[in-house]
């Protein structure tokens, strides 16, 4: 499979038993209560958590296969990460932050333009609004030419109008993104706007996986119904 193919089992920090496939260009939202294992799935894919067994395959490459003894270190995985905390280098300009991910100056300028930050390339993060900092973080995530994009509550630190604007920017970029994307969010509006499919996670397992409309129409239990906003 050229997208994302994973089967993860873990006992800590939370119990996991997750099997999931995401096609190239597809956005799958991971939905669940706090502690359900959503962020742990992302960390296992990125190679930031090594306590899992199973396999992670992305774009035809095997990043982890416990049965075969394969474990590619995090720095060699082509992952674009976008978290709630922007994680920008405070002493570096917006342009330098994007270039730090491996982009040339021209590429970084093009990425900042793509996220609507023309003219702000030389500003330090402290001189940018929260929404603008998250746009820089998105440009930096894309600068790695990721094989998979991982978004963990990326809009939760900004106000509602800014969330909508950031979501619209991500929608604009989707046409040029051929990589699979996993989105963790508690906001059903973000999920409805951005996701092609929803995987509801509870107690470390996928309780139900499908179109948001299908899950709302026929949820596999009260927890699924509550999480998808039925």
């Amino acid at each position: 499979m050229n997208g994302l193919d994973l089967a993860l089992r873990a006992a800590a920090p939370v119990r996991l038993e997750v099997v999931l496939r995401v096609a190239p260009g597809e956005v799958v939202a991971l939905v669940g209560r706090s502690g359900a294992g959503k962020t742990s799935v992302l960390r296992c894919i990125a190679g930031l958590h090594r306590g899992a067994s199973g396999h992670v395959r992305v774009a035809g490459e095997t990043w982890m296969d416990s049965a075969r003894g394969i474990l590619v270190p995090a720095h060699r995985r082509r992952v674009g990460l976008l978290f709630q905390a922007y994680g920008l280098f405070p002493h570096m300009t917006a342009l330098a932050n994007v270039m730090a991910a491996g982009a040339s100056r021209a590429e970084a300028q093009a990425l900042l333009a793509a996220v609507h930050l023309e003219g702000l390339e030389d500003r330090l993060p402290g001189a940018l609004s929260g929404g603008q900092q998250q746009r820089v973080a998105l440009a930096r995530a894309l600068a790695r030419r990721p094989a998979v994009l991982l978004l963990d509550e990326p809009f939760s630190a900004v106000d509602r109008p800014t969330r909508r604007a950031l979501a619209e920017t991500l929608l604009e970029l989707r046409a040029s993104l051929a990589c699979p994307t996993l989105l963790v969010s508690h906001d059903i509006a973000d999920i409805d706007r951005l996701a092609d499919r929803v995987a509801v996670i509870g107690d470390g397992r996928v309780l139900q996986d499908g179109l948001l409309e299908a899950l709302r129409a026929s949820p596999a239990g009260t927890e699924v119904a509550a999480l998808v906003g039925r």
Side-chain angles (χ1 to χ4, degrees):
M1 180 180 180
N2 288 326
L4 168 66
D5 173 19
L6 63 88
L8 295 171
R9 293 176 297 278
V14 298
R15 188 176 72 86
L16 285 181
E17 193 169 339
V18 173
V19 176
L20 193 64
R21 289 188 171 190
V22 185
E26 185 180 27
V27 178
V28 173
L30 300 183
V31 179
R33 302 186 189 281
S34 297
K38 306 179 299 298
T39 296
S40 293
V41 171
L42 301 192
R43 291 179 63 83
C44 288
I45 295 169
L48 302 176
H49 175 55
R50 299 190 176 190
S53 61
H55 69 257
V56 176
R57 301 185 185 112
V58 181
E61 300 176 1
T62 299
W63 289 353
M64 184 188 81
D65 191 325
S66 57
R68 297 163 58 193
I70 297 173
L71 184 62
V72 176
H75 70 274
R76 289 180 50 204
R77 302 188 187 193
R78 291 188 300 121
V79 174
L81 297 169
L82 189 63
F83 297 113
Q84 176 180 348
Y86 316 124
L88 302 177
F89 298 113
H91 64 290
M92 296 170 63
T93 64
L95 184 67
N97 264 282
V98 179
M99 291 177 66
S104 68
R105 185 179 188 87
E107 289 170 338
Q109 288 174 328
L111 284 167
L112 288 171
V115 298
H116 307 297
L117 289 179
E118 302 95 327
L120 302 180
E121 296 90 345
D122 295 329
R123 290 197 184 181
L124 294 173
L128 298 171
S129 69
Q132 289 169 338
Q133 289 184 60
Q134 193 63 302
R135 289 176 187 273
V136 176
L138 175 58
R140 185 178 61 183
L142 298 176
R144 299 198 65 188
R145 300 182 183 87
V148 61
L149 190 59
L150 306 177
L151 312 176
D152 192 0
E153 297 283 358
F155 310 139
S156 60
V158 295
D159 59 34
R160 180 68 57 180
T162 304
R163 296 177 78 104
R164 286 197 296 268
L166 287 168
E168 289 301 321
T169 299
L170 198 54
L171 281 172
E172 292 171 9
L173 294 172
R174 276 200 58 188
S176 60
L177 293 177
C179 64
T181 300
L182 283 179
L183 166 69
V184 171
S185 178
H186 288 94
D187 192 297
I188 202 67
D190 289 342
I191 294 164
D192 204 9
R193 188 179 295 119
L194 292 171
D196 299 303
R197 210 172 85 230
V198 177
V200 179
I201 295 182
D203 195 24
R205 298 178 298 109
V206 176
L207 303 178
Q208 194 170 2
D209 180 358
L211 299 176
L212 181 58
E213 295 81 0
L215 270 59
R216 282 173 168 164
S218 184
T222 56
E223 182 171 2
V224 174
L227 288 167
V228 299
R230 186 182 180 189

